[in-house]
Amino acid sequence: MKVLSIQSAVAYGHVGNSAAVFPLQRIGVEVMPVYTVAFSNHTGYGSWRGPLISPDDVREVITGIEERGVFPQIDVILSGYQGSEGIADVILDAVARIKAANPAAIYACDPVMGNAKSGCFVAPAIPILLRERVVPAADIITPNQFELGYLTGTEPDTLESTLRSVDLARDMGPRTVLVTSVERPDREEGTLEMLAVTDNGAWIVTTPQLPMTANGSGDVTAALFTAHYRRTGDAADALARTASSVFDLLQNTLDSGERELQLVESQEAYAHPRMQFAVRQVR
């Protein structure tokens, strides 16, 4: 499998491509990372150094890959945080060109906008752009519950309302939706859920909710789920593998006492997930 991943990069820590690439490589996926920024660290620290990469330069890198004759071999285009409207145009253009070369290729979009605690943390134009242009072009989207609500103009909370919101999102274009953090009021205390919905059904997995947040964990989740699902076509299996891997990554990070994801130290969790969480079909 070959993945073109258009995301940010940091030298210190793990977000964007600096979070997604190694786990994909560890499960045997060939990744072509294209960077949209080259920062010293993620912006959660409040200060950072390094350049934004202009949309024209990102486009040039992708064109160079095209000139190597690789587009017909690309199975997945993956994107995450989009810092500007110009980058979205570049991504959508790349998706169209790759799908023309390989109609079996899929586009997986993590529609990063924010979360329930912090609200939206992207430029005001980005959520509208994602909703109106980017998500309709995607085959897979991986929003959290807050982002799902924004995309669909709803307020999902229960399992039933979340499923209704997912159906609205799927009506926009993407046939597969992974909701990365379902926090319904009637769930067991101290747990967190992920929900995957495709044309073939809907599945949910429950894991303990760890007392931490870690930048980059969503990037790992989107990458692993997309790769597993593209490889097997089995959403339940992809959900189980992803939940197992990401939980162990987060547990290892919590145990370490470090702020940054223990991405390399957790590599066995990607290559050989323990499959410790049962997946339940809910539709």
Side-chain angles (χ1 to χ4, degrees):
M1 185 190 306
K2 286 185 171 64
V3 173
L4 180 74
S5 183
I6 309 170
Q7 300 195 57
S8 59
V10 295
Y12 174 75
H14 302 288
V15 298
N17 269 332
S18 301
V21 171
F22 178 68
L24 288 174
Q25 291 172 331
R26 195 62 182 84
I27 64 170
V29 175
E30 181 72 37
V31 189
M32 290 166 275
V34 176
Y35 303 130
T36 56
V37 308
F39 286 167
S40 55
N41 51 270
H42 68 70
T43 58
Y45 285 97
S47 64
W48 62 94
R49 294 180 183 272
L52 291 164
I53 300 174
S54 76
D56 286 343
D57 287 337
V58 176
R59 191 188 303 272
E60 280 292 291
V61 172
I62 295 170
T63 298
I65 294 170
E66 182 179 29
E67 289 170 348
R68 303 285 73 77
V70 180
F71 274 14
Q73 303 169 31
I74 293 175
D75 301 291
V76 176
I77 310 101
L78 178 65
S79 73
Y81 171 77
Q82 298 186 17
S84 72
E85 297 176 66
I87 291 295
D89 289 335
V90 172
I91 292 170
L92 290 172
D93 179 62
V95 169
R97 287 154 62 192
I98 290 167
K99 286 193 169 190
N102 177 15
I106 62 170
Y107 171 38
C109 169
D110 185 5
V112 178
M113 288 181 276
N115 56 60
K117 292 181 180 179
S118 66
C120 275
F121 50 63
V122 297
I126 297 301
I128 298 169
L129 178 67
L130 286 168
R131 184 178 62 206
E132 294 182 356
R133 293 187 56 211
V134 179
V135 165
D139 300 286
I140 298 174
I141 59 171
T142 58
N144 59 36
Q145 202 168 20
F146 170 85
E147 292 159 343
L148 174 66
Y150 183 89
L151 289 171
T152 57
T154 61
E155 296 183 2
D157 54 359
T158 65
L159 178 58
E160 291 73 20
S161 64
T162 302
L163 284 167
R164 287 195 296 271
S165 297
V166 168
D167 288 339
L168 290 173
R170 295 177 71 241
D171 288 342
M172 296 166 67
R175 303 311 302 159
T176 299
V177 176
L178 174 70
V179 187
T180 58
S181 57
V182 179
E183 299 185 46
R184 54 191 174 115
D186 58 342
R187 74 187 190 281
E188 184 180 346
E189 186 176 355
T191 64
L192 187 66
E193 295 170 319
M194 284 201 297
L195 173 71
V197 184
T198 74
D199 289 339
N200 296 322
W203 297 266
I204 199 163
V205 63
T206 304
T207 70
Q209 185 170 20
L210 297 172
M212 63 176 296
T213 57
N215 295 85
S217 58
D219 302 318
V220 177
T221 301
L224 287 177
F225 177 82
T226 298
H228 287 311
Y229 183 56
R230 180 65 178 83
R231 179 174 280 163
T232 68
D234 186 335
D237 179 73
L239 184 62
R241 290 179 181 277
T242 302
S244 176
S245 298
V246 174
F247 178 82
D248 282 349
L249 167 62
L250 292 174
Q251 184 68 68
N252 291 343
T253 301
L254 179 63
D255 292 346
S256 75
E258 298 290 333
R259 176 172 178 172
E260 294 292 341
L261 289 174
Q262 300 300 288
L263 195 80
V264 176
E265 295 82 353
S266 303
Q267 59 183 286
E268 286 302 306
Y270 327 132
H272 306 289
R274 294 189 292 139
M275 307 295 279
Q276 68 270 43
F277 304 115
V279 170
R280 178 167 59 94
Q281 188 163 6
V282 291
R283 191 167 70 187

